[in-house]
Amino acid sequence: MPIVAHNDLPTFNRLRTEGQNILESDWAIHQDIRELHVGLLNMMPDAALAATERQFFRLVGQSNQIAQFYVHPFSLPGLPRGKKARAHIERYYQPFETVREQGLDALIITGANVSGPELTQQPFWSPLIEVVDWAFEHVTSILCSCLATHAVMQFRYGQPRQPLPRKRWGVFTHRVVDQTHPLVESTNTLFDVPHSRFNEVSRDQFEAVGARVLVESDVSGVHLATSPDGLRIVMFQGHPEYDTISLLKEYKREVQRFATDARADYPPFPDNVFSRKAVAVLEEHRHMLQRALDRGREPPPFPEARIADGLNNTWRDTAEGVVGNWLGLIYRVTHNDRCLPFMDWVDPADPLRMLIRS
């Protein structure tokens, strides 16, 4: 069922132009269809704020559940923002206090860019703990993306992330290792997931706190895990929300950082993204760029359009399946369905089981 356009957020029009079914709020109120309210805590930096917003809206909108989805974006105080992003947030996003007062059925927390290795020193640390602690008690399920997973594993479970030898960057093949969980029901058992991170939480760390590991890769490690109850916290280490061109745009930004001396080395290619033809075009651009810099000339334009048409998306269908399953479970919990298979894993005193029995 559709996402409801409950305000004039530009993402709604963008999704309409892509062919997605967006329902106007004055029509939605006349439909005899259950509402689900999904919060989106967007902590991404300015350059990726709107794109990340659209990516998660798309996944929710394509979930094919029998509900009308109201997605409520909000951010956190203290995150550095430029004028344009700050104006976007002030106009279209809700304060957390409003979200907390109105309540949510589900919450998605994006990743974030950090400066320095210590998460506890980041400006979002204390406000994020406040949001997660509230949601753990009052929201059926929290879906964490990448750095949000690392933060939750540290402050809630005492498992700090560990630095990788080099950035894990690219698209990697994963397999479902626990096919009994309803989050991976009817999904491919082998599928790809994009990653972009310098740190990880290992399988041993997830299992040490009783978390359930559902999807992992021999190369990129755990992608999908849940809290011990199976639903309260759902954790991604990868980025299944990424667009087909997301990693290309990240690579372009790194090339531009090199061109402006923001990084000393030329960026390596993300793994398993570019074809041999694309690599040849990008190597040619590298030589042209270096020659221009050596001669003090204007850098040549990055050949984004020449590369983008040849990229493939090998993760979107499974991403939509997992998010659809997640929202379907939330729908059933909020309807007090007592037949959920994951409930066998939940401690009898857990508030989640109380939701089912109420």
Side-chain angles (χ1 to χ4, degrees), residues 116-285:
E118 182 52 60
L119 288 180
T120 61
Q121 301 302 312
Q122 304 304 315
F124 59 75
W125 183 252
S126 294
L128 177 60
I129 291 175
E130 180 184 2
V131 171
V132 173
D133 285 347
W134 168 78
F136 194 81
E137 296 298 327
H138 299 93
V139 178
T140 302
S141 184
I142 310 165
L143 191 156
C144 299
S145 175
C146 198
L147 184 132
T149 289
H150 295 170
V152 167
M153 284 296 292
Q154 180 168 335
F155 73 70
R156 181 158 284 276
Y157 296 107
Q159 295 291 333
R161 62 185 187 161
Q162 303 300 317
L164 293 164
R166 67 182 183 91
K167 184 178 182 179
R168 183 156 294 153
W169 196 26
V171 178
F172 304 94
T173 299
H174 295 64
R175 59 191 174 90
V176 177
V177 294
D178 183 351
Q179 298 184 30
T180 66
H181 197 289
L183 279 175
V184 291
E185 182 180 3
S186 300
T187 66
N188 297 333
T189 57
L190 194 71
F191 57 89
D192 292 338
V193 181
H195 287 257
S196 180
R197 51 190 169 87
F198 290 94
N199 303 272
E200 77 168 353
V201 175
S202 69
R203 170 185 261 271
D204 288 344
Q205 288 179 283
F206 281 112
E207 291 184 335
V209 298
R212 299 183 64 91
V213 174
L214 307 185
V215 175
E216 68 177 348
S217 163
D218 293 337
V219 177
S220 59
V222 173
H223 162 54
L224 172 58
T226 75
S227 50
D229 59 80
L231 182 64
R232 183 62 59 75
I233 303 179
V234 175
M235 294 171 279
F236 291 159
Q237 279 203 101
H239 286 281
E241 79 279 4
Y242 269 9
D243 296 324
T244 306
I245 61 173
S246 292
L247 288 171
L248 170 62
K249 286 187 172 294
E250 284 189 19
Y251 178 75
K252 176 183 177 181
R253 285 196 294 270
E254 292 305 308
V255 171
Q256 292 171 337
R257 291 183 66 232
F258 172 81
T260 58
D261 289 329
R263 66 175 291 164
D265 63 316
Y266 202 88
F269 295 128
D271 295 330
N272 311 312
V273 173
F274 301 134
S275 66
R276 285 187 294 178
K277 179 180 178 181
V279 166
V281 171
L282 292 170
E283 288 287 10
E284 178 186 30
H285 177 263

Side-chain angles (χ1 to χ4, degrees), residues 22-96:
I22 304 295
L23 190 64
E24 297 294 338
S25 58
D26 55 348
W27 282 85
I29 60 176
H30 299 296
Q31 305 297 311
D32 187 21
I33 300 173
R34 176 72 162 87
E35 297 177 3
L36 282 184
H37 291 264
V38 182
L40 175 63
L41 172 50
N42 193 347
M43 300 190 296
M44 292 299 286
D46 292 5
L49 182 76
T52 301
E53 176 189 298
R54 291 192 298 267
Q55 288 161 4
F56 280 108
F57 270 65
R58 285 191 194 101
L59 285 182
V60 171
Q62 297 290 345
S63 61
N64 196 30
Q65 302 297 332
I66 306 174
Q68 292 178 159
F69 296 105
Y70 289 75
V71 184
H72 305 276
F74 64 104
S75 193
L76 295 177
L79 290 172
R81 296 291 184 197
K83 182 177 180 181
K84 183 177 180 181
R86 188 163 54 249
H88 179 85
I89 289 169
E90 290 175 354
R91 178 171 179 180
Y92 301 114
Y93 283 30
Q94 295 175 299
F96 171 58

Side-chain angles (χ1 to χ4, degrees), residues 3-14:
I3 287 179
V4 177
H6 55 89
N7 63 19
D8 57 351
L9 181 73
T11 283
F12 294 127
N13 280 332
R14 175 69 174 266

Side-chain angles (χ1 to χ4, degrees), residues 322-340:
V322 171
V323 172
N325 287 340
W326 175 64
L327 291 167
L329 290 172
I330 293 166
Y331 180 90
R332 293 169 66 184
V333 167
T334 57
H335 275 64
N336 298 323
D337 186 334
R338 303 186 184 189
C339 301
L340 293 176

